[in-house]
Amino acid sequence: LSVNDILVLVLSNEGTFDPQRLFVGSGTLVLNPPEEDQTLLQASGRTAYDLSSLEMLIRGQAIAQTPAGGLIPGFATKSPDCMDRTVFLVFEEGGALCLWFQEVHHCLQCCRAVLAEAHEKGADPACDGLPE
């Protein structure tokens, strides 16, 4: 389930979506600025999330039923298609990450890859909004 090098928009603390390159592997989700050299282990702007601490993955319309729904800008929630391309990850210690994809299938691929890596690292995150 390779999702490596997919361009994704990441919700910032300022309420804007910033482009990042996505990498999921070795129990980690890594975000890199798109202009960074793609040598992930040495990139200066890289942000990494340990998937062994993933508590919850919420995708699509299910996000609107959570407190996280209020954090997402209105333009990202304007249609079911927009929401179907959105995933919200919640980590231990209260960390959270909202990703918005260009394509629904990229969002689904990412969700499956993240869950597989989390399970491999011993996490058992709650999950809502994924098709069976």
Side-chain angles (χ1 to χ4, degrees), residues 54-104:
L54 183 66
E55 291 186 337
M56 187 179 304
L57 181 149
I58 310 164
R59 181 191 155 265
Q61 298 297 319
I63 296 170
Q65 308 307 314
T66 70
L71 301 174
I72 300 173
F75 65 87
T77 60
K78 68 181 177 182
S79 74
D81 177 64
C82 287
M83 288 303 293
D84 286 346
R85 296 182 284 128
T86 306
V87 63
F88 203 85
L89 306 174
V90 179
F91 297 89
E92 294 173 2
E93 311 290 325
L97 181 64
C98 181
L99 305 173
W100 196 30
F101 292 84
Q102 294 176 346
E103 304 286 338
V104 171

Side-chain angles (χ1 to χ4, degrees), residues 30-62:
V30 178
L31 298 169
N32 248 5
E35 64 277 359
E36 281 283 339
D37 181 5
Q38 294 307 305
T39 52
L40 289 171
L41 296 178
Q42 300 172 355
S44 61
R46 146 185 203 256
T47 305
Y49 296 86
D50 178 2
L51 295 175
S52 69
S53 68
L54 183 66
E55 291 186 337
M56 187 179 304
L57 181 149
I58 310 164
R59 181 191 155 265
Q61 298 297 319

